[in-house]
């Protein structure tokens, strides 16, 4: 929705202008989208999807559905339930084709075939900018389908149903899409706020352990720099979270999602025009580790290692006490998150750890001056623009000794 704007003529009125004219075009656009936390999202009595679609008064509401193939395999009832849901609410929307499975996991962000196929299908199905794409899946599928949807006609409405812990607390609720290219994570992507997000905790039950714990790394990330209470909850409930306690994970997912939403809403830079990106604490190393490991390390696991490393660095620079550093690393490890990988010591030649190249790649991705966010105590942050490479290398050695004692 467009807000008020202005058009100001710049320059020295009355004086002979150096050039014909220069106007400062300025306007604001405000976004609004619901993020619903629910269970049984496609149960006949659940109104969340119907209410999300009904935000668009025009009918018919035409829709395409894409489902992560990992979810479709683990929950074969999901697509039939969705079809029955829509059949039971005639007039709600017109499903222009049967729901389609797309490859799940990071591989879906590597390569353009599926993106092109989705774009072609949107075109062949004659969806317009008031039509819908419903994406059900992990962060990778939401990033890929969202990317495709954001391109056609410069943006088809996207409804996301995130199905991993990470997607429910982070990737699925935000405003970004992304594809991996040129050996870099999220090299290509768009800022494209969704039309609605429906978080269904029931969908998490079939997750592999790696993807159950992986999302909790994003909770540690945001807790360490923004929410001491959440950090304390994570540490106190590490055992419950490791044991897949549903009440504990629901609390963590909802609180973490709300912190991400609050940052986007109130952080003053939802589309990341500046150089800082606080919610990428731990991510400079994480993104590099994902690529170095050829995606053996999932995003959440890589983030956990990145947080462990930057927590060591924060302690080395006096921003965390050694006890705070140890508490964070030990709690992540207790939940089953990795805090070390031998790739941290992989050599890039000339005796330089390959991981350190991630700093410049991270800067280039964000633009501007290098800005790394670190915790300053628990629940607050500090931004640093210089990284002491010798100290960082010492932290790598320290982390190895802490996490993988000989
Ligand atoms: N756009 C953003 O703002 C943003 C933010 C954070 C992360 N991300 C991206 O998200 C991606 C990671 O997403 P992820 O951690 O959700 O993992 P993922 O999407 O890569 O999925 C991991 C695996 O779990 C399977 N799966 C998904 N849901 C399942 C379920 N309910 N039951 C069984 N299997 C299921 C998938 O098929 C896949 O094999 C990364 O590419 C990361 O860069 C994006
Ligand atoms: Zn992340």
């Amino acid at each position: 929705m467009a807000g008020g704007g202005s058009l100001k003529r710049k320059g020295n009125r009355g004086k002979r202008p150096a050039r014909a004219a220069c106007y400062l075009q300025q306007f604001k656009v405000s976004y609004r989208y619901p993020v619903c936390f629910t269970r049984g999202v496609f149960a006949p009595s659940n109104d969340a999807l119907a209410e999300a679609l009904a935000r668009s008064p025009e009918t018919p509401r035409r829709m395409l559905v894409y489902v992560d193939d990992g979810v479709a395999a683990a929950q074969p009832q999901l697509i039939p339930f969705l079809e029955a849901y829509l059949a039971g609410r005639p007039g709600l929307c017109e499903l222009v084709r049967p729901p389609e499975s797309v490859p799940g996991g990071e591989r879906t962000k590597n390569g353009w075939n599926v993106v092109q196929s989705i774009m072609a299908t949107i075109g062949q199905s004659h969806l317009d900018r008031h039509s819908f794409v419903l994406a059900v899946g992990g962060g990778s599928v939401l990033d890929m389908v969202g990317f495709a949807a954001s391109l056609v006609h410069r943006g088809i409405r996207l409804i996301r149903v995130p199905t991993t812990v990470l997607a429910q607390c982070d990737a699925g609720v935000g405003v970004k899409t992304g594809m991996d290219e040129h050996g870099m994570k999220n090299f290509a992507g768009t800022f494209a706020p969704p039309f609605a997000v429906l978080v269904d905790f029931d969908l998490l039950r079939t997750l592999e352990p790696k993807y159950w714990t992986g999302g909790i790394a994003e909770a540690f990330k945001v807790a360490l720099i923004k929410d001491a209470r959440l950090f304390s909850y994570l540490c106190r409930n590490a055992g419950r979270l490791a044991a897949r306690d549903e009440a504990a994970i629901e609390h963590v997912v909802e609180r973490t999602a709300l912190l991400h939403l609050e940052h986007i809403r109130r952080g003053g830079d939802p589309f990341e025009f500046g150089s800082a990106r606080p919610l990428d604490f731990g991510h400079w190393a994480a993104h590099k580790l994902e690529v170095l490991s050829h995606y053996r390390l999932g995003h959440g696991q890589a983030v956990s290692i990145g947080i462990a490393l930057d927590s060591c660095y924060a302690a080395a620079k006096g921003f965390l006490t050694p006890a705070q550093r140890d508490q964070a690393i030990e709690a992540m490890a207790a939940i089953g998150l990795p805090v070390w990988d031998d790739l941290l010591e992989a050599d890039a030649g000339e005796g330089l750890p390959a991981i350190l190249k991630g700093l410049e790649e991270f800067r280039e991705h964000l633009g501007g001056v290098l800005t790394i966010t670190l915790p300053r105590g628990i629940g607050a942050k500090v931004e640093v623009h210089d990284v002491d490479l010798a100290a960082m290398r010492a932290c790598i050695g320290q982390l190895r000794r802490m996490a993988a004692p000989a």
Side-chain angles (χ1 to χ4, degrees):
M1 189 192 300
S6 64
L7 183 67
K8 292 187 185 143
R9 181 158 181 161
K10 291 176 71 185
N12 308 333
R13 275 183 198 279
K15 291 189 186 162
R16 186 181 163 82
R19 54 185 159 175
C22 177
Y23 298 90
L24 183 64
Q25 160 84 325
Q26 187 169 339
F27 60 89
K28 288 183 181 162
V29 180
S30 76
Y31 289 90
R32 180 186 290 221
Y33 59 91
V35 180
C36 308
F37 296 88
T38 185
R39 290 178 165 281
V41 67
F42 301 137
S45 59
N46 192 316
D47 290 326
L49 176 58
E51 285 172 5
L53 286 162
R55 290 181 59 231
S56 171
E58 308 142 48
T59 52
R61 306 180 186 96
R62 295 165 62 71
M63 184 161 80
L64 278 171
V65 178
Y66 291 99
V67 181
D68 184 317
D69 66 1
V71 183
Q75 303 186 29
Q77 76 289 0
L78 186 129
I79 290 177
F81 273 18
L82 169 58
E83 290 177 315
Y85 181 94
L86 297 177
R89 296 180 184 241
L92 179 61
C93 76
E94 184 187 329
L95 195 57
V96 294
R97 282 164 67 106
E100 196 178 312
S101 291
V102 288
E106 194 72 32
R107 68 195 156 124
T108 212
K109 294 175 58 172
N110 281 271
W112 301 98
N113 290 353
V114 186
V115 168
Q116 286 174 340
S117 150
I118 292 173
M119 290 173 70
T121 305
I122 293 174
Q124 286 151 12
S125 308
H126 303 291
L127 295 199
D128 64 27
R129 284 173 54 80
H130 293 205
S131 306
F132 294 88
V133 169
L134 176 70
V136 183
S140 300
V141 160
L142 300 182
D143 270 2
M144 183 276 293
V145 176
F147 180 70
S150 74
L151 296 181
V152 183
H153 300 312
R154 302 197 176 99
I156 305 281
R157 292 167 172 174
L158 179 75
I159 299 181
R160 302 194 193 121
V161 178
T163 62
T164 63
V165 171
L166 190 143
Q168 293 193 348
C169 72
D170 182 349
V173 302
V175 296
K176 292 186 278 187
T177 75
M179 295 289 289
D180 306 333
E181 183 62 52
H182 293 303
M184 281 177 71
K185 281 276 299 180
N186 301 326
F187 177 81
T190 50
F191 285 96
F195 190 81
V197 184
L198 311 175
V199 174
D200 177 352
F201 296 121
D202 286 346
L203 295 174
L204 300 178
R205 290 194 183 127
T206 53
L207 273 178
E208 279 180 33
K210 169 177 167 181
Y211 296 111
W212 172 270
T213 52
I216 303 172
E218 301 283 9
F220 272 96
K221 170 198 76 179
V222 78
L224 270 161
I225 58 168
K226 276 184 181 278
D227 189 343
R229 276 183 69 183
L230 178 60
F231 180 75
S232 165
Y233 184 90
L234 288 164
C235 295
R236 282 185 285 111
N237 291 281
R240 285 173 72 198
L241 290 163
R244 295 181 77 130
D245 181 289
E246 291 196 358
I249 200 70
E250 285 175 23
H251 174 77
V252 168
V253 164
E254 188 166 335
R255 182 70 197 134
T256 305
L258 291 179
L259 285 164
H260 278 95
L261 289 170
E262 184 185 69
H263 177 79
I264 292 166
R265 191 172 67 251
R266 299 177 58 184
D269 192 15
F271 291 169
E272 298 172 1
F273 291 119
S275 301
R277 199 189 290 171
L279 292 185
D280 272 356
F281 160 49
H283 279 55
W284 70 267
H287 285 167
K288 191 67 187 168
L289 279 172
E290 287 184 77
V291 173
L292 287 173
S293 74
H294 303 289
Y295 299 103
R296 165 179 57 80
L297 290 170
H299 181 71
Q301 297 179 301
V303 167
S304 166
I305 297 166
I307 290 172
L309 178 59
D310 277 358
S311 297
C312 287
Y313 186 78
K317 293 292 165 190
F319 297 128
L320 285 181
T321 65
Q324 290 169 330
R325 170 199 64 201
D326 293 353
Q327 190 185 14
I329 293 175
E330 283 164 21
M332 291 195 297
I335 287 170
L337 283 162
V339 290
W340 169 258
D341 194 278
D342 287 346
L343 284 171
L344 284 174
E345 290 184 326
D347 198 54
E350 299 160 19
L352 183 76
I355 191 75
L356 295 182
K357 289 192 164 183
L359 281 167
E360 172 53 19
E361 289 172 8
F362 185 75
R363 186 209 65 75
E364 191 174 306
H365 185 57
L366 266 62
V369 291
L370 175 68
T371 306
I372 299 289
T373 301
L374 297 171
R376 184 197 276 274
I378 302 290
K381 67 179 171 61
V382 58
E383 272 149 19
V384 300
H385 303 290
D386 288 308
V387 174
D388 175 347
L389 293 184
M392 188 61 84
R393 291 179 76 158
C395 288
I396 292 173
Q398 179 186 39
L399 188 59
R400 175 172 32 72
R401 290 190 295 281
M402 288 172 73

